[in-house]
mmCIF file of all heavy atoms in Angstrom:
data_model
loop_
_atom_site.group_PDB
_atom_site.id
_atom_site.type_symbol
_atom_site.label_atom_id
_atom_site.label_comp_id
_atom_site.label_asym_id
_atom_site.label_seq_id
_atom_site.Cartn_x
_atom_site.Cartn_y
_atom_site.Cartn_z
ATOM 1 N N ASP U 221 -94.144 253.265 186.357
ATOM 2 C CA ASP U 221 -93.472 254.015 187.394
ATOM 3 C C ASP U 221 -94.201 253.869 188.743
ATOM 4 O O ASP U 221 -94.395 254.832 189.492
ATOM 5 C CB ASP U 221 -93.375 255.506 187.006
ATOM 6 C CG ASP U 221 -92.377 256.270 187.881
ATOM 7 O OD1 ASP U 221 -91.504 255.638 188.493
ATOM 8 O OD2 ASP U 221 -92.503 257.499 187.947
ATOM 9 N N GLY U 222 -94.625 252.649 189.022
ATOM 10 C CA GLY U 222 -95.267 252.332 190.300
ATOM 11 C C GLY U 222 -96.722 252.705 190.410
ATOM 12 O O GLY U 222 -97.333 252.461 191.451
ATOM 13 N N ARG U 223 -97.306 253.222 189.341
ATOM 14 C CA ARG U 223 -98.719 253.610 189.379
ATOM 15 C C ARG U 223 -99.544 252.769 188.444
ATOM 16 O O ARG U 223 -99.226 252.663 187.249
ATOM 17 C CB ARG U 223 -98.859 255.087 189.006
ATOM 18 C CG ARG U 223 -100.253 255.645 189.248
ATOM 19 C CD ARG U 223 -100.235 257.170 189.141
ATOM 20 N NE ARG U 223 -101.446 257.750 189.686
ATOM 21 C CZ ARG U 223 -101.744 259.046 189.726
ATOM 22 N NH1 ARG U 223 -100.823 259.893 189.260
ATOM 23 N NH2 ARG U 223 -102.853 259.479 190.216
ATOM 24 N N GLU U 224 -100.605 252.181 188.945
ATOM 25 C CA GLU U 224 -101.467 251.302 188.147
ATOM 26 C C GLU U 224 -102.436 252.164 187.331
ATOM 27 O O GLU U 224 -103.430 252.676 187.845
ATOM 28 C CB GLU U 224 -102.220 250.316 189.011
ATOM 29 C CG GLU U 224 -103.039 249.307 188.200
ATOM 30 C CD GLU U 224 -103.846 248.367 189.061
ATOM 31 O OE1 GLU U 224 -103.415 248.089 190.203
ATOM 32 O OE2 GLU U 224 -104.900 247.911 188.576
ATOM 33 N N LEU U 225 -102.122 252.311 186.046
ATOM 34 C CA LEU U 225 -102.900 253.174 185.204
ATOM 35 C C LEU U 225 -104.330 252.624 184.948
ATOM 36 O O LEU U 225 -105.280 253.369 184.796
ATOM 37 C CB LEU U 225 -102.223 253.389 183.833
ATOM 38 C CG LEU U 225 -100.838 254.034 183.879
ATOM 39 C CD1 LEU U 225 -100.396 254.386 182.458
ATOM 40 C CD2 LEU U 225 -100.795 255.269 184.757
ATOM 41 N N THR U 226 -104.425 251.298 184.872
ATOM 42 C CA THR U 226 -105.748 250.715 184.633
ATOM 43 C C THR U 226 -106.724 250.923 185.767
ATOM 44 O O THR U 226 -107.912 250.685 185.606
ATOM 45 C CB THR U 226 -105.575 249.197 184.331
ATOM 46 O OG1 THR U 226 -104.592 248.636 185.223
ATOM 47 C CG2 THR U 226 -105.130 248.937 182.924
ATOM 48 N N ALA U 227 -106.222 251.315 186.915
ATOM 49 C CA ALA U 227 -107.134 251.614 188.051
ATOM 50 C C ALA U 227 -107.647 253.026 188.022
ATOM 51 O O ALA U 227 -108.545 253.364 188.829
ATOM 52 C CB ALA U 227 -106.373 251.340 189.377
ATOM 53 N N LEU U 228 -107.106 253.864 187.124
ATOM 54 C CA LEU U 228 -107.501 255.262 187.058
ATOM 55 C C LEU U 228 -108.719 255.377 186.112
ATOM 56 O O LEU U 228 -108.807 254.700 185.099
ATOM 57 C CB LEU U 228 -106.374 256.139 186.553
ATOM 58 C CG LEU U 228 -105.072 256.107 187.365
ATOM 59 C CD1 LEU U 228 -104.000 256.947 186.700
ATOM 60 C CD2 LEU U 228 -105.348 256.594 188.788
ATOM 61 N N PRO U 229 -109.663 256.278 186.435
ATOM 62 C CA PRO U 229 -110.804 256.494 185.535
ATOM 63 C C PRO U 229 -110.380 257.106 184.218
ATOM 64 O O PRO U 229 -109.365 257.801 184.134
ATOM 65 C CB PRO U 229 -111.711 257.437 186.330
ATOM 66 C CG PRO U 229 -110.798 258.115 187.314
ATOM 67 C CD PRO U 229 -109.715 257.128 187.633
ATOM 68 N N GLY U 230 -111.170 256.865 183.149
ATOM 69 C CA GLY U 230 -110.865 257.380 181.845
ATOM 70 C C GLY U 230 -110.940 258.909 181.791
ATOM 71 O O GLY U 230 -111.498 259.553 182.669
ATOM 72 N N PRO U 231 -110.416 259.519 180.719
ATOM 73 C CA PRO U 231 -110.353 260.997 180.642
ATOM 74 C C PRO U 231 -111.711 261.652 180.519
ATOM 75 O O PRO U 231 -111.854 262.816 180.807
ATOM 76 C CB PRO U 231 -109.503 261.244 179.362
ATOM 77 C CG PRO U 231 -109.648 259.984 178.557
ATOM 78 C CD PRO U 231 -109.777 258.873 179.571
ATOM 79 N N ARG U 232 -112.729 260.894 180.110
ATOM 80 C CA ARG U 232 -114.075 261.483 179.995
ATOM 81 C C ARG U 232 -114.806 261.452 181.318
ATOM 82 O O ARG U 232 -115.874 262.039 181.484
ATOM 83 C CB ARG U 232 -114.865 260.760 178.923
ATOM 84 C CG ARG U 232 -114.227 260.858 177.542
ATOM 85 C CD ARG U 232 -115.119 260.266 176.478
ATOM 86 N NE ARG U 232 -114.436 260.341 175.185
ATOM 87 C CZ ARG U 232 -115.019 260.071 174.042
ATOM 88 N NH1 ARG U 232 -116.298 259.739 174.006
ATOM 89 N NH2 ARG U 232 -114.340 260.152 172.919
ATOM 90 N N HIS U 233 -114.222 260.707 182.288
ATOM 91 C CA HIS U 233 -114.813 260.680 183.622
ATOM 92 C C HIS U 233 -114.497 261.957 184.355
ATOM 93 O O HIS U 233 -113.525 262.642 184.081
ATOM 94 C CB HIS U 233 -114.223 259.471 184.372
ATOM 95 C CG HIS U 233 -114.932 259.141 185.643
ATOM 96 N ND1 HIS U 233 -114.637 259.757 186.816
ATOM 97 C CD2 HIS U 233 -115.899 258.215 185.928
ATOM 98 C CE1 HIS U 233 -115.402 259.286 187.795
ATOM 99 N NE2 HIS U 233 -116.152 258.332 187.262
#
Side-chain angles (χ1 to χ4, degrees):
D221 195 21
R223 190 168 193 179
E224 186 182 331
L225 300 190
T226 41
L228 301 177
R232 299 187 183 190
H233 191 276

